[in-house]
Amino acid sequence: MAHQFGTSNQMDAFNFANTLMVCVTNIFGSAIVTVFVPFLTRVKNRDDRKVLNSYINMMGIIVLMLLGAYSIGSFVYLRMMAANPNTFWAIMISLSFILGIGQYIRFFSNFQTSMLQVTGKFSMIKIAAISSTVFSLAGLIYFHNRLSITLAAIIITISYLIEYVVLRISNQEKKYRHQWVLDIKNDRTKELFRLTVPIVLNSTIYQISLMIPNVIARSFGVGVVSMSVYANQILNIMQTLIILNLLSVLYPELVTVFQNKTIEAAKIKLGYYINLTNLIVIPMMFGAIVLGQSLIAILFQRGNFTPTDTNNVWKFLIFGSLSLPLIVYKEFYYRVFYSQSDTKTPVKISITSIVIQMIFLIGGIHVIGIWALMASPLVATIVAAIYARERLIKKIGKLVDDGRQLFFSLVNSSIMAFVITLIQPNLHGNRIIKLLVLIAIGIVVYGVLVWICQRKYFLSEIGGQND
């Protein structure tokens, strides 16, 4: 799609519509991990299944009502503007109807995915994802010479349907099979929704914070929305592969420690996990900065996506990369609050950080222009990480940090980036091979430095307590 549409008005409309529909469904989708999955592990009998399906169906109705309200409002807007139409908004609204259907299907796919995770059928989840991806890729390639932005949206929506069908067929466990039941008077169903409310509130604030920059980005002209989205796609890959996966592995252990060990032991473990995660994330941040242009060129630079677009996307990527280590701190601090059944404090922190982000963004565009748009997510992350840390200290006391490990990670990553920068101009040939060679060199250099400076700390099971 980057090849076909580049950073055009059509691609802006597609990205805006897709982000909007993802935000609408994610408002409630965020509760699946924190509320729905824990309940899944306790499902045993028919009454449990009734509560399970009631929750799924009621959530589906609420999301459908949100999408319906948006559709009605959009239809009224288009009717009102029929005499003097705005091409961008008209395309965006028409695409959002199509992509909204796809995101609604994905909303139910998330429930099916959770059920398969609980039953250990991880391979079927991957098969469903691969089936969806292969279909969308094949469709986009097949219609390449006559691909319109609307047809692209239809192909992607159908791919989401294929993913859901494969997941549904794979989920043959009787106690997890989705049925139409709506027992909203059940006390346990009500309890699930009571747990869902603060999560949804927090997610709503976060999703709004994602949309406002897109609205402002549009004011800077054609292509800026797409540039931001292209950079975020790369950042989301890094966050999903590294940060979220590590959090999913380490979070259960962190909960156990905070619930069963002394608070001092728990704080040591928290510091260890943060340093362990940033051991990977910090060099990844430096790598994204020094190799970002090469990566963007390989992923997107062809057809209507020009070298100028690559450079502009890279600028967005730099600011996004700088926020990654801070996201690690913020996410771990949030999970400590969650482990102690405190879902309100993260909401307050999110509200504060987003308000400051919006003030910075709205005020900054008049002073530093588009740089304010690039930097605003970083500002929000800085505020959230600092505020979360302060609130956590008030709750559990002074945290146990080892600043030496952060210093070593920063210095080692800087040396790695310097070596890559020196070697990069001297490498020629295929750009994919060149990128892979530079990544390999970076890994070797960083690995040697970590072995020299940090191995004792990270080989210690409890993060340096025995040093």
Side-chain angles (χ1 to χ4, degrees), residues 392-450:
L392 190 59
I393 289 173
K394 289 181 179 180
K395 191 177 186 71
I396 64 175
K398 186 178 179 180
L399 300 180
V400 178
D401 297 309
D402 190 330
R404 294 175 303 167
Q405 305 310 317
L406 176 62
F407 174 78
F408 283 137
S409 293
L410 288 170
V411 171
N412 292 342
S413 298
S414 300
I415 295 172
M416 176 200 73
F418 179 72
V419 172
I420 291 174
T421 303
L422 287 179
I423 297 174
Q424 190 170 12
N426 301 312
L427 287 180
H428 306 284
N430 183 280
R431 59 187 183 181
I432 296 178
I433 295 176
K434 179 180 175 181
L435 178 64
L436 293 175
V437 169
L438 290 171
I439 291 173
I441 292 172
I443 291 172
V444 171
V445 171
Y446 185 72
V448 170
L449 292 171
V450 168

Side-chain angles (χ1 to χ4, degrees), residues 12 28 42 91 104 110 123 152 189 199 233 248 250 266 274 280 322 335 342 357 405 412 419 441:
D12 274 1
F28 287 88
R42 301 192 298 269
I91 297 173
Y104 190 64
N110 289 335
S123 60
T189 305
I199 302 299
Q233 286 175 342
S248 65
L250 300 177
I274 289 174
I280 301 172
L322 291 173
R335 276 158 178 76
D342 181 359
Q357 178 190 8
Q405 305 310 317
N412 292 342
V419 172
I441 292 172

